[in-house]
């Protein structure tokens, strides 16, 4: 991938203040040995939790409404969820946890998701409670915010972990794959479902790509396809919580809730491609700072790269 000198995604002002405080606390923890790895793991968990703040807030509201929202309330439960979702999004921007530039991508996630929701509910792939007035057809407006939560996570994780990529495919090719995936979500109800062919195509296009990310003191590497699968799995877990909370139901769950089938992982895996392509609209994928030839993707999974290595190399190059 050709290097384009674009300034890396930076933290918002609110995040910089939080980051500074956490770094002071984490810096006191051990640097080496098992305790040092536990420090990295703690930092990883904190960053992931911070990246998920939009989705976690949405899930918390959905669960709270399921457990405690009164059935006799004059204001419909779905409408209350929509108002809460809008409030969360406004708070994210007003609190400078998201930038207006990132908000454009999140709104695009919202629109892309709502369009698919309108189609899928129309043909009966899943259903929502019919109450409320803040809806389009059979789709309550809060549903689009669940896709926006995925978009929020994607743009935030890119910033918080300073994501870089080795052998990232041409962006035009990723856009073609994403468009084919999105089209298949609609067309598979009328023609042959091509999801497994699309999974193979994704593996072909992204198979050689390695993602580099910084946690705290160490930069790590992982095959991008594995990262897609891990994120898809956690979205599947969140979907189980949402369906248990009766936010929506699949036809097989109407008679009684049960976990969503693991086969749904393929849908979320493919959704990752659409998500990544939308995020690259505002944040083009960048190569790692280390200009040394990268090793093969199968040699780099979870392989740590010392955080100060690049700074030392920069000094040597400047002296030469």
């Amino acid at each position: 991938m050709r290097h384009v000198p674009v300034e890396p995604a930076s933290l918002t002002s609110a995040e910089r203040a939080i980051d500074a405080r956490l770094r002071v606390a984490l810096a006191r923890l051990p640097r080496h040995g098992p305790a040092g790895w536990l420090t990295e793991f703690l930092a990883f968990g904190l960053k992931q939790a911070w990246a998920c703040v939009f989705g976690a807030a949405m899930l918390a509201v959905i669960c709270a409404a399921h457990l405690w929202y009164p059935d006799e309330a004059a204001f419909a439960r779905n409408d209350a969820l929509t108002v809460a979702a809008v409030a969360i999004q406004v708070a994210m921007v007003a609190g400078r946890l998201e930038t207006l530039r990132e908000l454009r991508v999140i709104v695009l996630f919202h629109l892309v998701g709502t369009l698919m929701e309108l189609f899928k509910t129309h043909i009966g792939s899943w259903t929502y409670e019919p109450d409320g007035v803040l809806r389009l057809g059979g789709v309550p407006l809060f549903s689009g915010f669940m896709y926006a939560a995925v978009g929020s996570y994607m743009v935030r994780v890119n910033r918080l972990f300073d994501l870089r990529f080795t052998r990232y495919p041409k962006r035009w090719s990723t856009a073609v794959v994403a468009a084919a995936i999105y089209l298949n979500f609609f067309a598979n109800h009328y023609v042959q479902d091509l999801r497994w062919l699309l999974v193979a195509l994704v593996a072909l296009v992204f198979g050689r790509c390695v993602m580099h990310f910084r946690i705290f003191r160490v930069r790590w590497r992982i095959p991008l396809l594995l990262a897609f699968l891990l994120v898809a799995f956690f979205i599947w877990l969140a979907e189980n919580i949402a369906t248990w909370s009766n936010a929506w139901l699949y036809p097989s769950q109407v008679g009684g809730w049960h976990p969503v089938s693991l086969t749904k992982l393929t849908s979320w895996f493919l959704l990752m491609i659409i998500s990544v392509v939308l995020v690259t609209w505002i944040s083009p994928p960048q190569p790692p700072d280390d200009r040394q030839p990268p090793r093969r993707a199968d040699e780099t999974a979870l392989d740590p790269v010392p955080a100060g290595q690049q700074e030392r190399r920069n000094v040597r190059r400047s002296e030469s």
Side-chain angles (χ1 to χ4, degrees):
M1 181 179 66
R2 184 172 64 89
H3 174 63
V4 181
V6 178
E7 182 180 346
S10 59
L11 302 179
T12 66
S13 57
E15 287 173 337
R16 281 196 297 271
I18 296 171
D19 181 70
R21 292 177 180 271
L22 286 176
R23 283 183 175 275
V24 170
L26 290 171
R28 301 190 184 102
L29 300 179
R31 299 181 63 91
H32 306 292
W37 295 117
L38 286 175
T39 300
E40 287 291 308
F41 184 75
L42 173 61
F44 178 81
L46 289 172
K47 282 190 173 185
Q48 284 289 347
W50 190 239
C52 294
V53 66
F54 191 131
M58 281 292 300
L59 274 182
V61 168
I62 288 172
C63 289
H66 173 67
L67 293 172
W68 298 301
Y69 200 79
D71 293 334
E72 64 278 6
F75 199 54
R77 173 176 172 267
N78 282 347
D79 289 347
L81 289 174
T82 299
V83 172
V86 172
I88 292 170
Q89 182 63 84
V90 170
M92 293 286 290
V93 176
R96 298 183 179 180
L97 304 183
E98 288 173 351
T99 67
L100 291 177
R101 189 163 177 256
E102 291 168 345
L103 183 62
R104 291 185 300 173
V105 174
I106 293 169
V107 169
L108 187 56
F109 269 84
H110 194 295
L111 296 176
V112 168
T114 298
L115 179 61
M116 188 162 66
E117 288 284 322
L118 287 168
F119 176 78
K120 291 291 190 178
T121 54
H122 176 71
I123 64 173
S125 294
W126 53 78
T127 57
Y128 293 89
E129 289 292 335
D131 60 339
V133 296
L134 301 178
R135 60 193 304 115
L136 292 174
V139 181
L141 296 183
F142 79 83
S143 66
F145 286 94
M146 293 184 286
Y147 291 90
V150 176
S152 175
Y153 171 81
M154 295 297 293
V155 296
R156 290 164 65 76
V157 81
N158 181 68
R159 180 172 70 238
L160 294 172
F161 287 90
D162 186 25
L163 299 186
R164 304 298 179 99
F165 303 90
T166 298
R167 294 187 293 270
Y168 192 88
K170 299 291 185 182
R171 280 199 290 166
W172 67 263
S173 66
T174 65
V176 170
V177 173
I181 290 170
Y182 192 64
L183 179 62
N184 187 68
F185 280 132
F186 296 86
N188 63 7
H189 296 281
Y190 306 105
V191 297
Q192 181 67 35
D193 188 354
L194 301 178
R195 73 177 60 198
W196 292 110
L197 178 61
L198 291 169
V199 168
L201 183 59
V202 168
L204 178 65
V205 172
F206 289 93
R208 298 176 64 249
C209 184
V210 177
M211 185 175 74
H212 305 242
F213 59 101
R214 182 183 299 283
I215 300 179
F216 179 43
R217 299 182 179 119
V218 178
R219 182 172 284 279
W220 300 75
R221 304 174 185 178
I222 183 174
L224 186 57
L225 289 177
L226 178 56
F228 288 159
L229 185 60
L230 291 173
V231 175
F233 174 73
F234 283 101
I235 294 178
W236 175 81
L237 290 179
E239 181 182 40
N240 275 282
I241 296 173
T243 54
W244 171 82
S245 301
N246 205 32
W248 73 90
L249 291 174
Y250 290 102
S252 62
Q253 294 175 318
V254 173
W257 183 85
H258 59 80
V260 178
S261 171
L262 276 171
T263 59
K264 189 70 173 176
L265 274 174
T266 59
S267 297
W268 291 118
F269 177 80
L270 293 173
L271 180 68
M272 286 296 95
I273 310 306
I274 300 174
S275 304
V276 167
V277 169
L278 291 177
V279 171
T280 58
W281 174 41
I282 66 164
S283 183
Q286 295 299 301
D289 291 333
D290 187 351
R291 301 295 191 271
Q292 297 301 314
R295 291 176 288 174
R296 297 194 311 272
D298 59 355
E299 295 176 332
T300 57
L302 301 179
D303 177 28
V305 178
Q309 181 176 357
Q310 176 58 28
E311 287 75 9
R312 292 194 296 272
R313 286 176 176 168
N314 287 340
V315 171
R316 288 199 296 269
R317 280 198 294 267
S318 63
E319 291 174 347
S320 62

